[in-house]
């Protein structure tokens, strides 16, 4: 009896546990194995978020709508910051829609280790699943945002005489959003890794994000910055390109140069790869220090 | 054939000073101290640590900057074996499981695992209060490594096991704690990995359900699965495991047949300190048990008693900060790990909260415990809320039979249980 049991035992999996595995070993295969968990985490985040809220998913329309209105009033009407002739609402939403997606991805990524420390100290699954699930959860919010943006866009395009010249590059918009998600992921992974060591970063993050947003041409056009050295600095922030480019795709106004594409894609890849590596390094022992 | 688990020189080391720097501000302070020629470790090693207090104090006393939670742990587990891991608190049991489950990495050494692993370090990992029972079964199952397909197939069985059919669409935040545990365990019991790593999870839930779980786990063992099981409950270990590994201070002390290892562990517990139990010095916890001694009627410290003399246990607790509603209590286990009785101190709450030490003594009457070896576990706790301090198997005593009824010709050589019961018989003959 015992013998048959042992015969039946044919392990398919082999796991080697040892110290200081190479940095580059990211368990992609394992992540694929856990894809059901990824989907469930997304579903859990979405359902848990909407249960017991009155407006439910509407929050994700109300919030960017209000911020676009606030920007219109403060930067458009009061400070009179130029929007290069684009209607205010459209101008700001072109910026806030991708920015919000980026911010969502980054925040969830940044919180993935410290925020789930309790869970992660009780069970193992590839930790990269958590920031990855953030991309999908926030994508759902992004779609709602986009829907609202489209309705405004359609209104301004057909029913007002505003100058909106969307171009064929708009077909590449999904690619741009993909880049936006990758930047969010890359930065989020960095912050997640750093917060395991310096927990005060958690409190600084909302503040730093805000500073970053004002450093990105969300409430002002990139054309406002003329000095070439500041320009270079601006493009080193990969989100500048994303925001300007989405504005250019939809309205035809915006600064997109070959240099900005190259620098921004390069920065994105750098942030993503280095983020993955540092996260992968830190996640292996972070429960000891948390 | 490959062993299911093969551990070679697994070691886990903590660098004491480094853990303390948790914020950027600390980091700056660290470099400042270093820059000014101070030893930053003296400052930082006092900051809260993840290491159990007793061991940290020990390491600190020896002037070590590092502390080995596990050191050179090597063993092989063959497929189908059910192995229990025992040891005192902080002996490295949980750390071993954490490494084998890949929650953290070893500092040195290597372990190879052949087969699909599922671990159970806690019941209900990943439960979300807002989600319903059904959603949580899926959530918990996938977190533990099941595929959605597998859960679909077993869903009814899981629900059946949990006995919670009518609440399956209720959010778990409305569950009682018992229901919560039942649901969680039902999921865990239906994992079908080749290797199952379990930490002390049976301590929760009502007794009947515990039995059901033990039964389920036994059948898991019989199905040829490899199980590694950490527990304080010697009875559960004896019941489930055919082999046990004893850890102490991060090292394997003994590895062999369950009963032998348990005997060794319990024996060691009793000779741990000739003066009874003494806490490793100056802990900063609010309250802790500092000293436990077993005395005879004359007040002499000793471990060997005869069955017809009373046993006095004196316990000294240090109070750094008084916590309301705490209770000092103890329970007694026999050498097979069966719990004999539990006793809480009813006077504890009336003590003056300004005191710095509390000394209590308890008398176990003569002619109560039968011959054998007994182990006392002392705990300060706020019942149902928090365990403030707990010393498992703190003292052990041996009781020899000085001529009781158990030794009479009729009874000799049988197991008569642990206590003498002073029962009254009535007898009459009817014609």
């Amino acid at each position: 009896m015992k013998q048959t049991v042992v015969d039946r035992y044919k392990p398919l999996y082999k796991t080697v546990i040892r110290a200081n595995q190479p940095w580059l070993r990211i368990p992609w295969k394992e992540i694929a194995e856990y894809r059901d968990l990824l989907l469930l985490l997304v579903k859990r985040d979405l359902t848990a978020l909407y249960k017991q809220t009155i407006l439910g998913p509407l929050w994700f329309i109300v919030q960017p709508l209000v911020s676009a209105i606030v920007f219109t009033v403060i930067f458009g009407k009061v400070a009179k910051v130029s929007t290069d002739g684009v209607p205010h609402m459209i101008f700001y939403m072109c910026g806030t829609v991708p920015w919000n997606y980026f911010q969502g991805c980054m925040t969830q990524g940044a919180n993935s280790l410290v925020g789930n420390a309790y869970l992660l100290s009780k069970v193992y699954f590839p930790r990269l699943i958590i920031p990855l699930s953030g991309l999908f959860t926030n994508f759902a919010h992004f779609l709602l945002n986009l829907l609202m943006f489209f309705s405004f866009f359609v209104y301004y395009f057909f029913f007002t005489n505003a100058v909106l010249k969307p171009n064929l590059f708009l077909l590449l918009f999904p690619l741009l959003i993909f880049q936006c998600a990758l930047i969010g992921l890359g930065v989020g992974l960095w912050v997640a890794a750093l917060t395991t060591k310096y927990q005060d970063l958690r409190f600084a993050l909302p503040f730093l994000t805000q500073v970053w947003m004002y450093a990105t041409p969300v409430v002002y056009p990139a054309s406002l910055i003329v000095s070439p050295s500041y320009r270079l600095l601006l493009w080193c922030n990969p989100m500048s390109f994303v925001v300007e480019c989405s504005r250019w795709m939809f309205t035809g106004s915006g600064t997109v140069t070959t240099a900005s594409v190259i620098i921004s894609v390069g920065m994105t890849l750098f942030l993503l790869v280095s983020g993955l590596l540092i996260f992968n390094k830190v996640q292996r022992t972070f429960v000891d220090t948390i | 054939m490959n062993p299911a688990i093969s551990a070679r020189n697994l070691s886990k080391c903590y660098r004491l000073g480094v853990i303390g720097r948790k914020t950027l501000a600390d980091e700056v302070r660290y470099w400042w101290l270093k820059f000014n020629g101070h030893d930053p470790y003296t400052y930082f090693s006092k900051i809260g640590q993840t290491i159990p207090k007793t061991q940290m104090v020990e390491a600190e006393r020896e002037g070590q900057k590092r502390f080995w939670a596990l050191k050179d742990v090597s063993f092989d587990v063959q497929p189908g074996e059910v192995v229990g891991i025992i040891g005192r608190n902080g002996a490295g049991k949980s750390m071993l499981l954490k490494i084998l489950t890949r929650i953290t990495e070893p500092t040195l050494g290597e372990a190879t695992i052949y087969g699909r692993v599922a671990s159970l370090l806690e019941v209900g990992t990943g439960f979300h209060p807002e989600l319903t029972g059904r959603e949580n079964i899926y959530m918990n199952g996938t977190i533990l490594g099941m595929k959605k397909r597998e859960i679909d197939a077993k869903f009814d069985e899981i629900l059946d096991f949990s006995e919670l059919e009518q609440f399956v669409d209720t959010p778990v935040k409305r569950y009682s704690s018992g229901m919560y545990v039942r649901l969680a365990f039902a999921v865990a019991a239906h994992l079908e990995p080749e290797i199952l790593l379990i930490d002390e999870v049976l301590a929760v839930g009502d007794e009947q359900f515990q039995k059901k779980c033990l039964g389920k786990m036994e059948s898991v063992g019989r199905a040829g699965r490899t199980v590694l099981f950490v527990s304080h409950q010697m009875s559960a270990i004896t019941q489930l495991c055919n082999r046990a590994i004893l850890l102490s201070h991060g090292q394997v002390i003994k590895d062999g047949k369950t009963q032998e290892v348990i005997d060794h562990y319990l024996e060691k517990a009793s000779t741990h300190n000739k003066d009874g139990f003494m806490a490793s010095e100056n802990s900063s916890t609010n309250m802790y048990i500092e000293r436990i001694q077993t005395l005879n009627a004359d007040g002499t410290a000793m471990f060997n008693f005869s069955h017809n003399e009373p046993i006095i246990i004196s316990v000294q607790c240090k109070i750094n900060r008084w916590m309301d509603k705490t209770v000092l209590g103890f329970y007694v286990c026999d050498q097979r790990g069966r719990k004999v009785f539990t006793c809480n101190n009813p006077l504890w709450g009336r003590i003056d909260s300004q005191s710095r030490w509390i000394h209590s003594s308890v008398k176990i009457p003569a002619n109560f415990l039968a011959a054998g070896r007994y182990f006392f576990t002392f705990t300060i706790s706020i019942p149902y809320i928090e365990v403030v301090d707990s010393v498992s198997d703190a003292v052990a005593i041996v009781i020899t039979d000085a001529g009781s009824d158990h030794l009479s010709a009729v009874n000799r050589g049988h197991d008569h249980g642990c206590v003498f019961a002073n029962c009254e018989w009535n007898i009459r003959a009817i014609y």
Side-chain angles (χ1 to χ4, degrees):
Chain A
M1 177 62 201
K2 181 92 183 173
Q3 199 53 44
T4 57
V5 165
V6 172
D7 285 343
R8 212 179 58 206
Y9 180 90
K10 287 196 198 81
L12 298 164
Y13 298 80
K14 179 187 170 188
T15 320
V16 179
I17 298 162
R18 66 151 70 92
N20 303 319
Q21 306 235 7
W23 281 49
L24 284 164
R25 187 168 296 163
I26 295 171
W28 296 116
K29 223 176 117 187
E30 208 175 24
I31 291 172
E33 286 272 309
Y34 273 89
R35 60 186 177 278
D36 285 346
L37 175 61
L38 185 91
L39 292 178
L40 271 171
L41 279 174
V42 173
K43 215 177 122 192
R44 178 190 81 172
D45 284 349
L46 291 177
T47 44
L49 204 58
Y50 296 135
K51 277 188 184 174
Q52 296 208 337
T53 61
I54 303 170
L55 292 178
L58 280 179
W59 279 118
F60 287 90
I61 291 187
V62 172
Q63 189 199 339
L65 185 65
V66 170
S67 69
I69 293 170
V70 169
F71 287 158
T72 305
V73 171
I74 296 182
F75 295 102
K77 304 285 186 229
V78 178
K80 294 200 167 40
V81 176
S82 154
T83 59
D84 287 349
V86 178
H88 287 140
M89 286 300 268
I90 298 295
F91 181 89
Y92 296 125
M93 277 184 185
C94 276
T96 51
V97 169
W99 178 265
N100 282 342
Y101 183 41
F102 158 77
Q103 193 180 338
C105 293
M106 180 184 70
T107 315
Q108 191 146 349
N111 217 1
S112 57
L113 291 182
V114 175
N116 293 289
Y118 184 74
L119 175 65
L120 295 179
S121 68
K122 291 293 175 194
V123 67
Y124 172 83
F125 53 83
R127 273 83 185 244
L128 206 52
I129 294 265
I130 299 177
L132 285 180
S133 81
L135 300 190
F136 294 98
T137 315
N138 285 293
F139 190 69
H141 304 157
F142 165 75
L143 286 182
L144 287 174
N145 270 343
L146 197 64
L147 193 74
M148 178 198 63
F149 172 66
F150 272 141
S151 39
F152 271 88
F153 190 79
V154 166
Y155 169 77
Y156 276 97
F157 191 74
F158 290 107
F159 302 102
T160 66
N161 48 9
V163 198
L164 294 174
K165 283 175 275 179
N167 50 45
L168 265 183
F169 281 100
L170 197 53
L171 296 176
L172 292 179
F173 186 65
L175 213 57
L176 192 69
I177 289 309
F178 183 59
Q179 186 192 356
C180 176
L182 293 186
I183 301 170
L185 180 66
V187 178
L189 292 176
W190 263 103
V191 181
L194 291 175
T195 39
T196 59
K197 193 152 164 58
Y198 309 116
Q199 301 218 353
D200 40 2
L201 206 59
R202 251 179 130 182
F203 307 109
L205 188 63
F207 163 73
L208 291 178
T209 323
Q210 202 163 16
V211 172
W212 191 349
M213 192 194 81
Y214 287 112
T216 308
V218 173
V219 294
Y220 54 87
S223 59
L224 216 62
I225 287 156
V226 213
S227 145
S229 47
Y230 280 123
R231 264 283 162 93
L232 188 67
L233 205 63
L234 187 80
W235 296 132
C236 279
N237 164 10
M239 277 310 287
S240 301
F241 167 73
V242 173
V243 165
E244 273 300 304
C245 191
S246 93
R247 200 171 278 151
W248 175 66
M249 285 170 175
F250 278 103
T251 69
S253 115
T255 323
V256 178
T257 60
T258 326
S260 69
V261 179
I262 293 168
I263 296 174
S264 134
V265 171
M267 278 303 285
T268 307
L269 289 178
F270 169 73
L271 282 173
L272 181 69
V273 173
S274 58
L276 278 171
L277 293 182
I278 187 116
F279 181 87
N280 193 43
K281 168 86 182 152
V282 164
Q283 59 91 13
R284 284 190 266 127
T285 53
F286 91 100
V287 289
D288 297 338
T289 49
I290 211 83
Chain B
M1 191 174 59
N2 290 321
I5 303 171
S6 149
R8 288 287 166 272
N9 303 322
L10 281 182
S11 306
K12 180 78 182 176
C13 177
Y14 282 106
R15 282 159 301 174
L16 286 181
V18 184
I19 307 171
R21 276 137 60 203
K22 277 199 167 174
T23 64
L24 272 171
D26 271 349
E27 184 82 7
V28 171
R29 209 172 303 144
Y30 171 85
W31 289 107
W32 179 251
L33 285 170
K34 208 166 179 177
F35 180 73
N36 285 322
H38 296 291
D39 178 16
Y41 287 103
T42 51
Y43 170 73
F44 280 102
S45 52
K46 290 203 175 65
I47 290 175
Q49 312 269 326
T50 47
I51 305 174
K53 92 193 174 215
T54 45
Q55 298 173 352
M56 199 191 83
V57 171
E58 226 171 81
E60 227 177 317
R61 190 174 49 215
E62 288 168 33
Q64 291 173 332
K65 297 284 184 278
R66 47 186 56 206
F67 158 76
W68 294 91
L70 275 187
K71 190 140 174 56
D72 291 331
V73 171
S74 304
F75 58 87
D76 280 329
V77 179
Q78 300 304 328
E81 265 190 308
V82 180
V83 180
I85 303 204
I86 56 177
R88 284 169 162 262
N89 283 337
K93 304 178 303 263
S94 299
M95 181 46 77
L96 180 61
L97 274 202
K98 277 196 173 171
I99 288 174
L100 292 179
T101 52
R102 291 199 286 164
I103 286 168
T104 185
E105 237 183 21
T107 313
L108 293 170
E110 191 177 307
T112 315
I113 299 180
Y114 292 91
R116 234 178 106 184
V117 184
S119 62
L120 207 56
L121 268 56
E122 177 197 56
V123 286
T125 313
F127 266 29
H128 195 292
E130 291 287 348
L131 302 182
T132 65
R134 181 189 305 277
E135 288 165 323
N136 270 313
I137 289 178
Y138 279 96
M139 196 67 232
N140 189 225
T142 46
I143 279 185
L144 294 174
M146 282 204 249
K147 297 260 164 55
K148 188 171 173 298
R149 240 176 323 104
E150 294 174 73
I151 305 175
D152 286 335
K154 283 189 201 147
F155 189 82
D156 293 330
E157 215 181 310
I158 293 175
L159 205 54
D160 206 41
F161 189 88
S162 71
E163 304 161 16
L164 289 168
E165 283 85 354
Q166 70 250 53
F167 305 109
V168 68
D169 290 312
T170 315
V172 294
K173 66 177 175 184
R174 309 217 188 289
Y175 280 26
S176 73
S177 57
M179 289 158 73
Y180 190 90
V181 168
R182 277 200 335 245
L183 186 71
F185 213 97
V187 181
H190 289 82
L191 289 171
E192 277 191 356
E194 281 131 336
I195 299 166
L196 190 56
L197 307 171
I198 311 176
D199 203 346
E200 199 112 45
V201 285
L202 287 172
V204 288
D206 57 80
E207 201 189 339
Q208 211 186 342
F209 194 73
Q210 267 188 27
K211 280 207 183 110
K212 197 170 165 182
C213 296
L214 279 175
K216 181 81 191 172
M217 271 168 61
E218 254 184 314
S219 67
V220 166
R222 272 201 298 274
R225 246 163 264 145
T226 315
V227 182
L228 216 61
F229 178 47
V230 165
S231 182
H232 276 111
Q233 276 178 289
M234 295 300 150
S235 53
I237 298 259
T238 332
Q239 201 179 331
L240 294 173
C241 310
N242 34 36
R243 175 183 159 197
I245 295 174
L246 172 61
L247 289 180
S248 172
H249 297 97
Q251 286 172 305
V252 177
I253 299 295
K254 198 165 168 65
D255 178 351
K257 285 226 160 56
T258 309
Q259 200 52 53
E260 283 168 26
V261 176
I262 290 184
D263 281 348
H264 186 85
Y265 165 62
L266 296 179
E267 220 163 280
K268 221 178 154 286
S270 62
T271 53
H272 185 69
N273 191 324
K274 286 197 171 55
D275 263 344
F277 168 82
M278 290 271 272
S280 330
E281 54 209 278
N282 51 36
S283 161
S284 58
T285 41
N286 293 338
M287 305 168 125
Y288 65 95
I289 297 162
E290 198 171 50
R291 175 141 212 216
I292 305 170
Q293 269 187 308
T294 46
L295 314 166
N296 67 5
D298 305 331
T300 323
M302 61 190 307
F303 301 113
N304 297 305
F305 297 86
S306 58
H307 81 280
N308 55 2
E309 62 179 333
I311 302 149
I312 294 153
I313 307 169
S314 90
V315 187
Q316 186 172 305
C317 301
K318 178 84 170 60
I319 314 297
N320 287 325
R321 202 175 64 81
W322 176 257
M323 293 165 79
D324 273 336
K325 301 199 173 86
T326 44
V327 168
L328 173 73
F330 70 96
Y331 64 82
V332 184
C333 289
D334 74 355
Q335 55 199 340
R336 290 171 60 193
R338 291 182 296 187
K339 203 179 267 185
V340 182
F341 68 93
T342 304
C343 181
N344 284 333
N345 184 349
L347 305 172
W348 185 260
R350 297 190 207 154
I351 217 90
D352 174 19
S353 58
Q354 300 299 312
S355 58
R356 293 182 55 211
W357 278 276
I358 295 179
H359 190 278
S360 27
S361 70
V362 59
K363 179 166 144 189
I364 298 172
N367 295 312
F368 179 62
L369 287 172
R373 184 179 278 131
Y374 297 92
F375 301 89
F376 292 75
T377 297
F378 280 82
T379 307
I380 303 178
S381 64
I382 304 172
Y384 303 109
I385 296 176
E386 190 188 342
V387 175
V388 181
D389 189 24
S390 174
V391 194
S392 51
D393 303 329
V395 283
I397 57 166
V398 176
I399 294 188
T400 40
D401 199 316
S404 78
D405 193 37
H406 286 177
L407 284 183
S408 68
V410 205
N411 292 331
R412 192 174 302 164
H414 293 285
D415 180 3
H416 295 289
C418 305
V419 292
F420 295 103
N422 199 8
C423 307
E424 256 176 54
W425 282 99
N426 252 319
I427 186 162
R428 72 193 158 101
I430 299 166
Y431 299 97

